[in-house]
Amino acid sequence: LAVANQNGQTLGHRVKSVVYKWDGRKFTVFQSVGTLGAWDVEYFSIGQEHFLLFANHHDGSSHDVDSYVYIWREEKFQLYQRIRTEGTLSVKHFVLDEDNYIVVGNRYNTAATSYNINSKIYRWSGAQFELFQSIATYGVYDVEVWRVGRFLFLAFANNYNTAKNSHQINSEVYMWRSGRFHHFRGIATNGALGLNAFTVCGKNLLAITNHKAGKTVIYELTGSEFREYDQLATSRVIHVVTFHRHNDTFTIISPNSNSVATRLYQWIY
């Protein structure tokens, strides 16, 4: 279990993140690794190699910091590669046609004082991750990658447009075609924070939390369109996760405030 620590009482944003190991009864601390205001962490493997990718958000003075790729070597995780990022909050790994990719959702460039920056996709070269594609985004809070049949989709939760001074901005969905991602559809959002793609009873759904609108909207992909399927009244929600247990499906709505309760919904069908 890897935990990305964002801030600490003593070290601030330079607090280390932690890898825990299951001892048969509980998780115990196994290793601490250097991070900078880490907001997200993604585990993945390539062949026989095991990796952790930490999304470093802030070092205490700037959002323009490297995110870190760790590799499992000599019975521990060792720093393997630094990837230049800009206030990153979300990272994702995916495999396509035997190639490995990572997506970095960049949120804010301190030097440019702007949320209007490119997010990046990197491809594994066999030795390191190299820049593959840049996509214009707006204060990205979350990234989602998912498949529907033979199609691969990528979505960015765009939170804020600096030029328009507005949270009312489309979150964008891209589809893989002809060797790269191409724009597929825009979805109107208001301060989008979280994304979650999932399937219930054959329906391909995408949940998007709208912080400024106080609601989470669930869309169904029908043909080439996202149509509104349901709405949930939510407050300060930053994460949405859907999971299956036996024949039941549940969705967790998690806020970024201790004053707001986390909610668990069960799908009835």
Side-chain angles (χ1 to χ4, degrees):
L1 171 66
V3 176
N5 285 323
Q6 199 264 333
N7 205 347
Q9 291 183 341
T10 304
L11 296 176
H13 292 285
R14 295 184 179 272
V15 64
K16 291 186 175 183
S17 293
V18 182
V19 179
Y20 294 85
K21 183 179 180 180
W22 181 255
D23 68 2
R25 295 186 304 110
K26 63 182 183 299
F27 284 105
T28 59
V29 174
F30 173 76
Q31 182 184 357
S32 296
V33 297
T35 50
L36 300 170
W39 197 275
D40 191 16
V41 58
E42 179 95 336
Y43 163 81
F44 57 94
S45 61
I46 300 176
Q48 299 301 311
E49 304 281 14
H50 301 274
F51 297 86
L52 288 176
L53 169 61
F54 285 93
N56 287 333
H57 176 63
H58 196 271
D59 67 0
S61 61
S62 176
H63 292 88
D64 306 339
V65 296
D66 293 343
S67 288
Y68 297 157
V69 179
Y70 282 86
I71 190 171
W72 180 261
R73 292 277 170 82
E74 299 176 353
E75 300 303 313
K76 64 180 180 180
F77 284 102
Q78 301 181 18
L79 182 59
Y80 184 77
Q81 183 179 355
R82 300 170 185 262
I83 296 176
R84 193 64 177 171
T85 50
E86 300 162 285
T88 299
L89 296 178
S90 181
V91 290
K92 288 290 185 294
H93 165 265
F94 68 93
V95 179
L96 181 65
D97 296 332
E98 299 185 356
D99 284 324
N100 284 266
Y101 300 83
I102 56 174
V103 184
V104 174
N106 286 321
R107 173 158 172 77
Y108 182 76
N109 184 293
T110 299
T113 62
S114 179
Y115 292 92
N116 299 9
I117 53 179
N118 288 344
S119 290
K120 307 289 180 66
I121 301 164
Y122 295 84
R123 183 170 60 186
W124 179 251
S125 69
Q128 64 179 2
F129 285 101
E130 298 179 348
L131 181 62
F132 173 77
Q133 185 177 357
S134 296
I135 295 177
T137 51
Y138 302 88
V140 168
Y141 237 92
D142 199 9
V143 177
E144 181 75 307
V145 179
W146 76 104
R147 296 175 187 274
V148 177
R150 60 187 179 88
F151 299 105
L152 180 71
F153 294 92
L154 164 65
F156 294 98
N158 286 326
N159 178 264
Y160 182 76
N161 187 322
T162 301
K164 295 184 178 180
N165 189 28
S166 177
H167 288 90
Q168 293 184 328
I169 179 174
N170 283 358
S171 289
E172 306 290 354
V173 180
Y174 295 81
M175 184 174 73
W176 185 273
R177 188 176 69 252
S178 302
R180 62 194 300 106
F181 283 106
H182 294 266
H183 186 261
F184 178 72
R185 288 289 180 271
I187 300 174
T189 51
N190 192 350
L193 295 183
L195 299 168
N196 180 218
F198 58 102
T199 301
V200 175
C201 289
K203 298 181 182 295
N204 297 300
L205 305 177
L206 176 65
I208 306 179
T209 67
N210 291 267
H211 171 59
K212 292 296 182 179
K215 62 183 178 181
T216 295
V217 182
I218 301 171
Y219 298 88
E220 181 183 3
L221 177 61
T222 57
S224 60
E225 300 291 337
F226 284 97
R227 302 185 185 279
E228 186 173 320
Y229 180 79
D230 201 358
Q231 279 193 24
L232 303 174
T234 53
S235 175
R236 300 183 180 182
V237 169
I238 193 169
H239 289 301
V240 184
V241 177
T242 300
F243 66 94
H244 304 278
R245 176 175 169 78
H246 302 309
N247 294 322
D248 296 319
T249 303
F250 301 88
T251 295
I252 296 176
I253 304 288
S254 177
N256 64 347
S257 171
N258 291 332
S259 64
V260 180
T262 295
R263 295 180 179 180
L264 175 64
Y265 294 85
Q266 182 177 1
W267 287 84
I268 305 299
Y269 46 83

